[in-house]
Amino acid sequence: MTGRELIFAAVNGVSANRLPFMPLNSAYARRCIGVDLEEYISDYRVLVKGQLAFAEKFHSDYVSVVSKPSIEAEDYRELYPLLPEESLNETGEFALFNRKEGIYTAMEGDYYQGRLMTERLKAITEFRRTVGGSLLVEGWVEGAALGASITWGTSRLLMDFYDDPAFVKQLLEYVAGNQIEFLRRQIEAGAESIGVGEPVSSLLGPDLFTEFLVPLHMRYVSAIHDAGALARLHICGNIMPLFPVLEDIPYDIIDLDSPSQIGAARSVLGPDRVLLGNIDPVSMVRDGTPASISAALETCFEEAGGHRYIVGAGCEIPYDTPEENILAMSEFAGSHKPYFAGLFVAGEM
């Protein structure tokens, strides 16, 4: 079975000859070819080369364009003269805007001609041409809360959930609308799955998440599914309080960070959701041993119920991880089968 088929098998709940392997790896892909972040995001050929090098060396089952979370913001700055120069706001954080007036005007228009977003679309097209059918091609967008935090600053955004909720809702709507259009264009370019990064959500409780973000994530997933792709959600941090809320948002793959418990996710989200992860990327992936990594993944696999499970770390593979530790993760995937009965139809979605 190809890597692409293995991932679809996990999503469809049918038998496969091994577990899929889908680690977040943009930093390590850069290490594989010896380039820095700016070169990686600025030239689609470099990104493609790095991802293919990682996939070949460590036998991962997909390639992804996930990289720097602010590429859309950087393209805004280049395309729209209304935007100020990059600066720190009063909280010491980066923010694209330091005043509320003018945000929406500047965010209107067809900004997908931006340099970095165009490179992302080109990378997807090249992936589909070179490995389409063998490895899953994954696009990536930012969740509404992360996009809003980059636009307005995380601390100010969190305070405005209470101080100016009308502004926050409008800002989230604008960000979500732009990201949904961007993900559609990635699927048109050849992406078969879209990852949605939403780390700021782990800072919100279930009440705020339900009121402000559930409707937007439902729109994300509907747009992804309507365009014929899989939807993957990644939220950094402990999101166990959000599990009951996520139960009703039909992401195909829930990518869990290490503070969250896979067993609890399986208990709340049920048997049909694919869980990915979630060993600690630093204390285990980088600083562990092949034996300890295998043991930790065995625990994850069993807590996931032995089915609809994808091998990965809780977050990004650190740049300075020993190669043998990543190979141990790959070897675990290669030596374990999901507990499924039934037949797999190649290419089934």
Side-chain angles (χ1 to χ4, degrees):
M1 296 175 69
T2 66
R4 176 184 181 275
E5 290 172 338
L6 287 167
I7 294 166
F8 281 127
V11 171
N12 292 322
V14 294
S15 62
N17 59 343
R18 65 170 177 85
L19 297 174
F21 182 40
M22 289 183 69
L24 288 171
N25 66 74
S26 66
Y28 214 93
R30 299 197 308 272
R31 173 178 166 173
C32 285
I33 58 173
V35 299
D36 63 20
L37 176 59
E38 293 308 310
E39 187 175 359
Y40 187 78
I41 66 174
S42 299
D43 187 336
Y44 79 94
R45 293 163 296 189
V46 174
L47 187 150
V48 168
K49 181 180 179 182
Q51 284 290 304
L52 295 180
F54 183 94
E56 181 178 3
K57 180 182 288 286
F58 300 110
H59 314 293
S60 64
D61 295 310
Y62 83 130
V63 287
S64 178
V65 295
V66 63
S67 57
K68 192 175 183 180
S70 61
I71 68 163
E72 296 94 330
E74 293 184 27
D75 277 353
Y76 278 137
R77 182 176 295 106
E78 288 187 7
L79 287 171
Y80 295 102
L82 292 175
L83 304 186
E85 293 298 320
E86 179 175 335
S87 61
L88 299 180
N89 63 29
E90 70 277 7
T91 65
E93 299 173 315
F94 166 78
L96 181 60
F97 292 89
N98 283 318
R99 57 186 178 87
K100 293 179 180 178
E101 297 79 12
I103 290 181
Y104 310 121
T105 300
M107 292 176 68
E108 292 175 352
D110 189 358
Y111 70 99
Y112 309 99
Q113 298 177 35
R115 176 176 59 90
L116 299 179
M117 284 182 281
T118 297
E119 293 301 312
R120 179 168 288 186
L121 295 174
K122 289 179 179 178
I124 291 170
T125 300
E126 182 65 8
F127 280 140
R128 193 60 184 265
R129 185 186 72 81
T130 55
V131 298
S134 58
L135 301 178
L136 186 79
V137 178
E138 181 184 70
W140 197 272
V141 295
E142 308 309 335
L146 176 56
S149 74
I150 294 170
T151 302
W152 185 232
T154 303
S155 295
R156 290 190 303 196
L157 178 70
L158 293 174
M159 290 187 287
D160 275 340
F161 273 100
Y162 296 97
D163 295 341
D164 196 351
F167 164 74
V168 170
K169 284 188 175 180
Q170 190 173 8
L171 179 58
L172 292 171
E173 284 280 346
Y174 268 76
V175 170
N178 285 335
Q179 293 293 334
I180 288 170
E181 181 60 29
F182 188 30
L183 71 85
R184 288 191 179 115
R185 295 186 183 220
Q186 291 182 57
I187 296 170
E188 290 172 0
E192 299 175 284
S193 174
I194 296 291
V196 178
E198 189 67 299
V200 177
S201 292
S202 64
L203 304 176
L204 305 176
D207 291 342
L208 288 177
F209 188 89
T210 298
E211 178 182 355
F212 287 85
L213 290 168
V214 165
L216 302 179
H217 279 283
M218 292 296 288
R219 285 173 53 193
Y220 274 73
V221 176
S222 293
I224 294 168
H225 286 169
D226 288 349
L230 303 177
R232 170 186 182 182
L233 177 66
H234 177 76
I235 303 179
C236 300
N238 183 0
I239 62 167
M240 291 172 65
L242 300 182
F243 285 165
V245 182
L246 295 177
E247 183 181 7
D248 296 324
I249 307 176
Y251 279 100
D252 301 291
I253 300 171
I254 301 293
D255 188 343
L256 295 167
D257 200 353
S258 53
S260 298
Q261 297 175 8
I262 283 189
R266 177 63 74 210
S267 177
V268 175
L269 299 176
D272 297 330
R273 200 71 62 95
V274 176
L275 304 178
L276 191 157
N278 70 333
I279 59 175
D280 190 288
V282 177
S283 65
M284 184 57 64
V285 175
R286 189 191 70 182
D287 298 339
T289 65
S292 65
I293 287 169
S294 181
L297 286 172
E298 190 73 51
T299 298
C300 291
F301 180 51
E302 294 301 327
E303 288 186 356
H307 65 282
R308 284 194 160 114
Y309 173 70
I310 295 176
V311 175
C315 201
E316 177 88 18
I317 300 289
Y319 187 90
D320 54 349
T321 298
E323 288 188 6
E324 59 266 25
N325 288 5
I326 306 175
L327 287 170
M329 298 175 68
S330 175
E331 289 165 5
F332 181 90
S335 62
H336 287 68
K337 295 181 180 180
Y339 304 157
F340 280 131
L343 298 176
F344 174 74
V345 179
E348 182 181 355
M349 288 187 62

